[in-house]
Amino acid sequence: MKREVSPSPLPAALEAMVPGPGVDLRESAGKGAGVFATRPFRAGELVLAGVIEAELDRNDAHASQISWNRFVRHGGLVPKVNHSCDPNCGIGLNASGAHDLLARLPIATSEEITFDYAMRNYTIEHFPDPCQCGTLRCRGRITGWKDLPSERRDAYHGYVAPYLLVLGL
């Protein structure tokens, strides 16, 4: 009697690197790689599941701040998602502690997936060059939550890393 062996599933970090249903990695004009929708997404829908690849001892340009003193590197396509000062996605915390990207607004097929890096990091000091998002709401530079205008904080309600809301800022 021959026993069938089913292939083991990919490790979560590796699985997150494979473009899933609905997204693809492409060139983003003037920004290098970016993640784009291959199907429409509804507001509130999961766009990318976050997977923590590594713990970090400090903040850096590719770090995600999970709590006041904890920084991680996400695996998969999340690090390839570009910043926007008027993003179509926001942050949701998943059961593993990683940041999922959730649609804040409806996203059309072929639209670039973006989020505001201030939605996850209290301070950002690693992007000295001017912001290149090109939106009408562009702040001119990529800032952290502490430097975000209150109207933007209000607009992001429900789509930011929970630790940022502890101080009630």
Side-chain angles (χ1 to χ4, degrees):
M1 183 166 141
K2 203 174 199 181
R3 202 172 106 187
E4 267 188 55
V5 178
S6 61
S8 64
L10 291 171
L14 185 58
E15 187 175 323
M17 295 173 126
V18 177
V23 297
D24 198 16
L25 187 63
R26 301 182 201 153
E27 282 298 307
S28 178
K31 298 184 238 175
V35 178
F36 290 80
T38 59
R39 67 167 182 86
F41 287 92
R42 295 179 318 276
E45 190 174 353
L46 176 67
V47 176
L48 279 172
V51 175
I52 295 174
E53 182 177 82
E55 294 280 337
L56 305 173
D57 60 358
R58 61 185 162 71
N59 198 0
D60 68 31
H62 299 287
S64 288
Q65 192 170 359
I66 300 294
S67 67
W68 290 107
N69 299 314
R70 185 175 173 213
F71 299 91
V72 299
R73 178 126 22 257
H74 278 88
L77 291 179
V78 170
K80 298 292 186 186
V81 175
N82 286 315
H83 163 83
S84 175
C85 295
D86 193 14
N88 54 21
C89 285
I91 299 293
L93 197 62
N94 68 31
S96 74
H99 293 152
D100 288 340
L101 292 185
L102 306 171
R104 285 182 55 236
L105 312 163
I107 300 171
T109 301
S110 296
E111 188 176 344
E112 185 172 8
I113 305 300
T114 60
F115 76 101
D116 190 332
Y117 294 174
M119 294 171 155
R120 69 177 183 192
N121 288 54
Y122 183 69
T123 61
I124 293 180
E125 299 160 356
H126 307 286
F127 297 99
D129 297 330
C131 179
Q132 297 178 359
C133 76
T135 68
L136 295 175
R137 289 201 165 112
C138 185
R139 299 187 297 274
R141 66 184 191 90
I142 299 173
T143 64
W145 184 257
K146 81 174 184 100
D147 298 314
L148 204 59
S150 61
E151 61 92 9
R152 289 314 297 159
R153 289 181 186 179
D154 293 344
Y156 295 163
H157 179 76
Y159 292 101
V160 300
Y163 83 92
L164 292 170
L165 304 175
V166 171
L167 293 178
L169 296 172

